[in-house]
Amino acid sequence: MLTSFPNSLIKTGLFDLLYPPFCRLCDRKITTDEIVFCGACLNSLEATNLRNWIEKITFRDWLDEVYSGWFFDEKMQIIIHALKYDEMVVVGDLLGTRLAEMFRDTLFSLQLNVLTAVPLHSVRLRERGYNQSNQLGEAISKHLNLPFSAGLLRRCKNTKSQTNLTASERMDNVTEAFISIAEPPERVLIIDDVLTTGSTVSACAAAMKRSGTKFVAVLTAGTPYFHGLDSQGKT
Protein backbone atom coordinates (compact mmCIF):
# COMPACT_ATOMS: atom_id res chain seq x y z
CA MET A 1 0.00 0.00 0.00
CA LEU A 2 1.54 3.29 -1.11
CA THR A 3 0.68 6.75 0.10
CA SER A 4 -1.53 8.62 -2.40
CA PHE A 5 -0.74 12.16 -3.49
CA PRO A 6 -2.95 14.86 -5.02
CA ASN A 7 -2.86 15.01 -8.83
CA SER A 8 -2.12 18.73 -8.56
CA LEU A 9 1.11 17.97 -6.73
CA ILE A 10 2.22 15.49 -9.37
CA LYS A 11 1.29 17.74 -12.30
CA THR A 12 3.23 20.72 -10.97
CA GLY A 13 6.45 18.73 -10.83
CA LEU A 14 6.72 19.33 -7.09
CA PHE A 15 6.31 15.60 -6.53
CA ASP A 16 9.47 14.82 -8.50
CA LEU A 17 11.29 17.54 -6.59
CA LEU A 18 10.32 16.02 -3.25
CA TYR A 19 10.68 12.41 -4.38
CA PRO A 20 13.08 12.21 -7.38
CA PRO A 21 12.11 9.41 -9.81
CA PHE A 22 15.26 7.38 -9.19
CA CYS A 23 15.75 4.67 -6.59
CA ARG A 24 17.98 5.92 -3.79
CA LEU A 25 19.55 2.48 -3.51
CA CYS A 26 20.32 1.48 -7.09
CA ASP A 27 19.72 4.74 -9.05
CA ARG A 28 17.35 2.95 -11.42
CA LYS A 29 14.44 5.03 -12.69
CA ILE A 30 11.41 4.02 -10.66
CA THR A 31 7.92 3.42 -12.02
CA THR A 32 4.81 5.44 -11.28
CA ASP A 33 3.85 2.78 -8.69
CA GLU A 34 7.11 3.22 -6.76
CA ILE A 35 8.29 5.98 -4.43
CA VAL A 36 11.87 6.67 -3.27
CA PHE A 37 12.96 3.03 -3.57
CA CYS A 38 12.26 0.54 -6.33
CA GLY A 39 10.38 -2.65 -5.58
CA ALA A 40 13.37 -4.82 -6.49
CA CYS A 41 15.55 -3.15 -3.84
CA LEU A 42 12.86 -3.33 -1.19
CA ASN A 43 12.28 -6.99 -1.98
CA SER A 44 16.02 -7.67 -1.68
CA LEU A 45 16.22 -6.51 1.94
CA GLU A 46 17.37 -9.32 4.24
CA ALA A 47 14.37 -10.40 6.28
CA THR A 48 15.36 -11.71 9.70
CA ASN A 49 12.81 -14.55 9.55
CA LEU A 50 12.90 -14.35 13.33
CA ARG A 51 10.16 -15.29 15.68
CA ASN A 52 10.33 -13.90 19.21
CA TRP A 53 14.09 -13.37 19.70
CA ILE A 54 14.02 -11.71 23.12
CA GLU A 55 16.71 -14.03 24.47
CA LYS A 56 19.23 -12.51 22.06
CA ILE A 57 19.02 -8.90 23.25
CA THR A 58 21.04 -7.44 26.11
CA PHE A 59 18.30 -5.55 27.97
CA ARG A 60 15.01 -7.44 28.18
CA ASP A 61 13.88 -7.45 31.83
CA TRP A 62 10.72 -5.44 31.15
CA LEU A 63 9.92 -6.93 27.76
CA ASP A 64 7.83 -9.98 26.87
CA GLU A 65 8.37 -10.49 23.14
CA VAL A 66 10.62 -8.91 20.50
CA TYR A 67 10.32 -8.90 16.68
CA SER A 68 12.32 -7.23 13.91
CA GLY A 69 11.72 -7.15 10.17
CA TRP A 70 15.11 -6.88 8.49
CA PHE A 71 18.79 -7.01 9.31
CA PHE A 72 20.40 -3.59 9.47
CA ASP A 73 22.80 -3.76 6.53
CA GLU A 74 23.97 -0.96 4.21
CA LYS A 75 20.63 -0.90 2.37
CA MET A 76 18.60 -0.62 5.55
CA GLN A 77 20.94 2.08 6.82
CA ILE A 78 20.19 4.20 3.74
CA ILE A 79 16.45 3.58 4.10
CA ILE A 80 16.34 4.44 7.81
CA HIS A 81 18.47 7.53 7.18
CA ALA A 82 16.00 8.69 4.52
CA LEU A 83 13.17 8.21 7.01
CA LYS A 84 14.87 9.88 9.99
CA TYR A 85 16.95 12.65 8.51
CA ASP A 86 15.85 13.36 4.92
CA GLU A 87 12.24 14.11 5.86
CA MET A 88 10.94 11.32 3.63
CA VAL A 89 7.97 10.40 5.80
CA VAL A 90 6.57 8.25 3.00
CA VAL A 91 9.35 5.75 3.76
CA GLY A 92 7.63 5.08 7.08
CA ASP A 93 4.49 4.16 5.18
CA LEU A 94 6.44 1.81 2.90
CA LEU A 95 8.23 0.02 5.74
CA GLY A 96 5.24 0.00 8.05
CA THR A 97 3.00 -1.58 5.44
CA ARG A 98 5.56 -4.28 4.73
CA LEU A 99 6.04 -4.94 8.45
CA ALA A 100 2.28 -5.27 8.84
CA GLU A 101 2.20 -7.97 6.16
CA MET A 102 5.24 -9.79 7.56
CA PHE A 103 3.88 -9.93 11.12
CA ARG A 104 0.13 -9.94 10.51
CA ASP A 105 -0.56 -13.31 12.15
CA THR A 106 1.86 -12.67 15.01
CA LEU A 107 0.39 -9.29 15.90
CA PHE A 108 -3.17 -10.57 15.86
CA SER A 109 -2.15 -13.52 18.06
CA LEU A 110 -0.78 -11.13 20.71
CA GLN A 111 -4.29 -9.76 21.36
CA LEU A 112 -2.98 -6.22 21.66
CA ASN A 113 -4.98 -3.37 23.11
CA VAL A 114 -2.95 -0.70 21.36
CA LEU A 115 0.17 0.07 19.34
CA THR A 116 2.46 2.91 20.35
CA ALA A 117 5.91 4.19 19.39
CA VAL A 118 9.11 5.22 21.14
CA PRO A 119 8.62 8.98 21.64
CA LEU A 120 11.08 11.72 20.75
CA HIS A 121 11.92 14.47 23.21
CA SER A 122 10.09 17.72 22.42
CA VAL A 123 13.37 19.39 21.42
CA ARG A 124 14.23 16.62 18.93
CA LEU A 125 10.65 16.57 17.65
CA ARG A 126 10.78 20.29 16.86
CA GLU A 127 14.10 19.84 15.07
CA ARG A 128 12.97 16.89 12.96
CA GLY A 129 9.33 17.86 12.56
CA TYR A 130 7.97 14.34 13.02
CA ASN A 131 8.61 11.07 14.83
CA GLN A 132 9.79 8.38 12.41
CA SER A 133 8.57 5.61 14.71
CA ASN A 134 5.08 7.12 14.68
CA GLN A 135 5.15 6.89 10.88
CA LEU A 136 5.85 3.18 11.10
CA GLY A 137 3.21 2.65 13.77
CA GLU A 138 0.51 4.57 11.97
CA ALA A 139 1.12 2.59 8.78
CA ILE A 140 0.90 -0.73 10.64
CA SER A 141 -2.22 0.46 12.44
CA LYS A 142 -3.92 1.49 9.21
CA HIS A 143 -3.02 -1.67 7.34
CA LEU A 144 -4.14 -4.07 10.09
CA ASN A 145 -6.90 -1.93 11.60
CA LEU A 146 -5.25 -2.03 15.02
CA PRO A 147 -5.50 1.01 17.34
CA PHE A 148 -2.46 3.29 17.53
CA SER A 149 -1.76 5.96 20.14
CA ALA A 150 1.26 8.26 20.25
CA GLY A 151 0.20 9.56 23.66
CA LEU A 152 1.03 6.70 26.00
CA LEU A 153 4.64 7.66 26.74
CA ARG A 154 6.62 10.87 27.05
CA ARG A 155 10.39 11.23 26.81
CA CYS A 156 11.16 13.42 29.80
CA LYS A 157 14.93 13.46 29.30
CA ASN A 158 16.61 14.78 26.14
CA THR A 159 19.00 11.86 25.75
CA LYS A 160 22.02 11.92 23.47
CA SER A 161 22.30 9.67 20.43
CA GLN A 162 22.82 6.01 21.25
CA THR A 163 24.84 5.34 18.09
CA ASN A 164 28.39 5.43 19.50
CA LEU A 165 27.64 4.30 23.04
CA THR A 166 28.53 0.98 24.64
CA ALA A 167 25.73 -1.28 25.87
CA SER A 168 26.05 -0.08 29.46
CA GLU A 169 26.24 3.55 28.34
CA ARG A 170 23.10 3.07 26.27
CA MET A 171 21.19 1.80 29.30
CA ASP A 172 22.47 4.62 31.51
CA ASN A 173 21.50 7.12 28.82
CA VAL A 174 17.83 6.10 28.74
CA THR A 175 17.25 5.06 32.37
CA GLU A 176 14.20 6.98 33.65
CA ALA A 177 14.04 8.84 30.33
CA PHE A 178 10.38 7.90 29.78
CA ILE A 179 7.17 8.27 31.77
CA SER A 180 3.74 6.81 31.19
CA ILE A 181 1.21 9.61 30.71
CA ALA A 182 -2.02 7.74 30.02
CA GLU A 183 -4.16 5.09 31.64
CA PRO A 184 -2.13 1.96 31.02
CA PRO A 185 -3.58 -0.59 28.60
CA GLU A 186 -2.91 -4.22 29.49
CA ARG A 187 -1.24 -5.36 26.26
CA VAL A 188 0.93 -3.00 24.23
CA LEU A 189 3.18 -3.18 21.17
CA ILE A 190 6.00 -0.60 21.10
CA ILE A 191 7.30 0.28 17.64
CA ASP A 192 10.73 1.69 16.81
CA ASP A 193 12.97 1.95 13.77
CA VAL A 194 16.03 -0.05 14.90
CA LEU A 195 16.65 -2.35 17.88
CA THR A 196 20.26 -2.94 18.98
CA THR A 197 20.68 -3.74 22.69
CA GLY A 198 17.05 -3.20 23.69
CA SER A 199 17.93 -0.42 26.13
CA THR A 200 15.50 2.18 24.76
CA VAL A 201 12.47 -0.08 24.37
CA SER A 202 13.19 -1.72 27.73
CA ALA A 203 13.18 1.71 29.38
CA CYS A 204 9.84 2.43 27.68
CA ALA A 205 8.43 -0.89 28.83
CA ALA A 206 9.63 -0.25 32.39
CA ALA A 207 7.68 3.02 32.52
CA MET A 208 4.53 1.31 31.23
CA LYS A 209 4.72 -1.72 33.49
CA ARG A 210 5.30 0.41 36.56
CA SER A 211 2.04 2.13 35.65
CA GLY A 212 0.13 -1.14 35.33
CA THR A 213 0.64 -2.53 31.82
CA LYS A 214 0.86 -6.33 31.93
CA PHE A 215 2.37 -7.25 28.55
CA VAL A 216 4.81 -5.32 26.33
CA ALA A 217 6.03 -6.56 22.95
CA VAL A 218 8.32 -4.73 20.54
CA LEU A 219 8.42 -4.54 16.74
CA THR A 220 11.20 -2.74 14.86
CA ALA A 221 12.06 -2.34 11.21
CA GLY A 222 15.73 -3.23 11.61
CA THR A 223 18.19 -4.97 13.87
CA PRO A 224 21.94 -5.58 13.46
CA TYR A 225 23.31 -9.02 12.73
CA PHE A 226 24.16 -10.66 16.02
CA HIS A 227 26.28 -13.52 17.21
CA GLY A 228 24.94 -17.03 16.70
CA LEU A 229 22.38 -16.24 14.02
CA ASP A 230 22.81 -16.07 10.27
CA SER A 231 20.83 -14.04 7.74
CA GLN A 232 18.30 -16.86 7.35
CA GLY A 233 17.30 -16.65 11.00
CA LYS A 234 18.92 -19.99 11.81
CA THR A 235 21.28 -20.70 14.67
Side-chain angles (χ1 to χ4, degrees):
M1 182 185 299
L2 299 178
T3 300
S4 60
F5 294 88
N7 288 333
S8 58
L9 178 62
I10 297 174
K11 290 178 181 179
T12 60
L14 184 56
F15 182 84
D16 283 349
L17 181 63
L18 293 173
Y19 302 102
F22 297 94
C23 176
R24 289 177 64 112
L25 288 173
C26 68
D27 292 327
R28 181 181 68 83
K29 187 175 178 63
I30 59 179
T31 69
T32 55
D33 295 328
E34 299 168 336
I35 301 174
V36 186
F37 304 104
C38 70
C41 283
L42 291 176
N43 291 334
S44 72
L45 295 177
E46 285 194 78
T48 64
N49 298 317
L50 294 173
R51 298 182 185 275
N52 175 22
W53 61 279
I54 190 169
E55 295 301 322
K56 296 289 186 178
I57 64 174
T58 306
F59 302 107
R60 55 180 183 267
D61 288 348
W62 298 92
L63 301 171
D64 294 287
E65 299 190 19
V66 171
Y67 303 90
S68 294
W70 302 275
F71 285 115
F72 192 74
D73 56 12
E74 292 181 1
K75 290 181 180 179
M76 274 300 293
Q77 185 175 19
I78 293 171
I79 291 172
I80 296 297
H81 191 281
L83 172 61
K84 292 178 69 171
Y85 304 113
D86 295 344
E87 301 182 18
M88 291 188 166
V89 295
V90 69
V91 176
D93 297 329
L94 294 174
L95 290 184
T97 298
R98 285 174 176 255
L99 284 171
E101 283 300 312
M102 293 168 72
F103 293 97
R104 173 188 292 271
D105 293 342
T106 297
L107 296 187
F108 283 135
S109 72
L110 297 180
Q111 298 182 312
L112 301 164
N113 298 116
V114 68
L115 316 182
T116 192
V118 173
L120 293 177
H121 190 270
S122 57
V123 172
R124 188 72 58 84
L125 185 60
R126 285 195 298 270
E127 292 173 349
R128 188 172 297 167
Y130 65 96
N131 181 346
Q132 76 280 355
S133 298
N134 281 354
Q135 295 297 130
L136 293 169
E138 289 170 358
I140 295 169
S141 169
K142 181 178 179 181
H143 197 73
L144 298 182
N145 196 29
L146 292 171
F148 175 83
S149 174
L152 300 183
L153 289 165
R154 180 165 66 86
R155 191 185 289 248
C156 55
K157 187 166 71 173
N158 190 12
T159 55
K160 58 187 175 182
S161 172
Q162 300 271 73
T163 303
N164 297 315
L165 302 181
T166 65
S168 60
E169 289 172 339
R170 284 171 180 255
M171 193 71 252
D172 290 342
N173 190 39
V174 296
T175 297
E176 298 184 355
F178 304 94
I179 58 174
S180 179
I181 58 175
E183 183 177 346
E186 285 196 3
R187 302 179 68 83
V188 179
L189 178 73
I190 299 176
I191 296 161
D192 204 6
D193 50 4
V194 179
L195 177 60
T196 305
T197 64
S199 56
T200 299
V201 288
S202 183
C204 289
M208 300 201 75
K209 286 197 169 180
R210 286 173 179 142
S211 296
T213 297
K214 304 300 183 185
F215 174 91
V216 178
V218 173
L219 174 61
T220 70
T223 190
Y225 293 101
F226 48 89
H227 179 70
L229 201 71
D230 64 19
S231 62
Q232 300 304 311
K234 300 176 181 177
T235 55

